[in-house]
């Protein structure tokens, strides 16, 4: 069996769109609402044009089987890794393989990266297991609250309100792995 990562190309737009809207992918994503083709097209084209983001397609014996994205920090020392496996390839160890291939690509082609980060929902046991087995360390647990469900107390005022800004702190709260030279 031959596994390879190839760069995504514009012709992959519909392939990635179908994988992105797969029910299990949506369930394990931080945003679970279905993605429209219009939203996806804008996102995909911006991604391909952005030098700080790289998208690769996993091929298994020449057949597209998954995708992995690397989002690099501006200084190039960190990369966030995100992946999904095509439904017909799940449960066969390709999640671990795609992350191993991405780590190898980072070591070979992006030598300034010192830390890889992955954000995974607690209920995504397969991904959590993969990152732990590959030497990533869990750095913290993040709790969130749907503000529409917040209970009012004391005559309509909030008893305690803690504001969490995920985009500023999430990259610090995730699976992390130092990248060896």
């Amino acid at each position: 069996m031959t596994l390879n990562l190839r760069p995504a190309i514009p012709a992959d737009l519909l392939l990635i769109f179908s994988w992105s809207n797969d029910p299990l992918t949506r369930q394990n994503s931080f945003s679970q609402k279905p993605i429209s083709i219009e939203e996806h097209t804008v996102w995909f084209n911006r991604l391909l044009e952005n030098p700080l983001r790289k998208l690769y397609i996993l091929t298994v014996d020449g057949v597209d089987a998954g995708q992995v994205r690397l989002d690099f920090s501006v200084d190039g020392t960190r990369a966030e890794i995100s992946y999904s496996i095509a439904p017909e390839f799940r449960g066969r160890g390709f999640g671990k393989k795609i992350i191993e291939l991405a780590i190898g690509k980072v070591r070979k082609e992006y030598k300034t990266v010192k830390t890889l980060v992955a954000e995974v929902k607690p209920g995504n046991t397969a991904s959590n297991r993969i990152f732990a087995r590959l030497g990533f360390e869990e750095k913290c647990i993040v709790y969130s609250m749907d503000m529409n469900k917040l209970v009012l107390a004391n005559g309509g005022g909030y008893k305690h309100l803690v504001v969490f800004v995920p985009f500023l702190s999430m990259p610090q709260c995730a699976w992390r792995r130092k990248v060896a030279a």
Side-chain angles (χ1 to χ4, degrees):
M1 178 172 13
T2 303
L3 303 177
N4 189 40
L5 288 182
R6 66 167 178 82
I9 58 173
D12 292 319
L13 181 127
L14 292 178
L15 175 69
I16 299 297
F17 176 70
S18 68
W19 290 344
S20 297
N21 275 314
D22 168 73
L24 186 59
T25 300
R26 295 286 11 110
Q27 177 184 323
N28 287 323
S29 297
F30 287 97
S31 172
Q32 295 181 333
K33 71 177 183 84
I35 302 165
S36 72
I37 188 64
E38 295 82 13
E39 290 173 297
H40 177 74
T41 301
V42 169
W43 172 85
F44 187 78
N45 290 331
R46 285 182 180 161
L47 182 145
L48 292 182
E49 295 170 3
N50 188 336
L52 295 177
R53 303 181 89 191
K54 301 295 180 191
L55 181 64
Y56 298 95
I57 306 297
L58 171 69
T59 62
V60 178
D61 294 330
V63 177
D64 297 333
Q67 62 84 26
V68 62
R69 189 181 75 236
L70 297 168
D71 294 326
F72 298 94
S73 61
V74 174
D75 68 1
T77 62
R78 291 173 18 122
E80 182 174 341
I81 191 167
S82 176
Y83 79 99
S84 66
I85 301 300
E88 61 272 23
F89 284 89
R90 291 183 187 143
R92 297 167 36 192
F94 293 117
K96 183 174 183 241
K97 295 291 186 192
I98 199 170
I99 300 303
E100 289 172 333
L101 289 169
I103 291 169
K105 186 165 278 299
V106 167
R107 282 187 176 137
K108 183 178 178 184
E109 298 178 23
Y110 306 103
K111 295 181 187 276
T112 60
V113 173
K114 303 297 178 214
T115 305
L116 287 174
V117 178
E119 296 181 37
V120 182
K121 288 174 66 174
N124 187 345
T125 54
S127 287
N128 280 302
R129 190 177 317 120
I130 288 167
F131 285 111
R133 287 182 178 165
L134 290 174
F136 286 72
E137 297 175 355
E138 187 175 354
K139 291 298 183 179
C140 71
I141 297 172
V142 176
Y143 295 91
S144 66
M145 176 190 299
D146 181 342
M147 294 303 288
N148 294 321
K149 296 179 182 175
L150 189 64
V151 177
L152 298 177
N154 300 331
Y158 295 112
K159 208 174 201 179
H160 299 286
L161 180 61
V162 177
V163 177
F164 174 69
V165 184
F167 296 110
L168 297 177
S169 35
M170 282 300 281
Q172 302 300 322
C173 287
W175 290 97
R176 298 176 69 140
R177 177 178 171 164
K178 295 288 184 189
V179 179

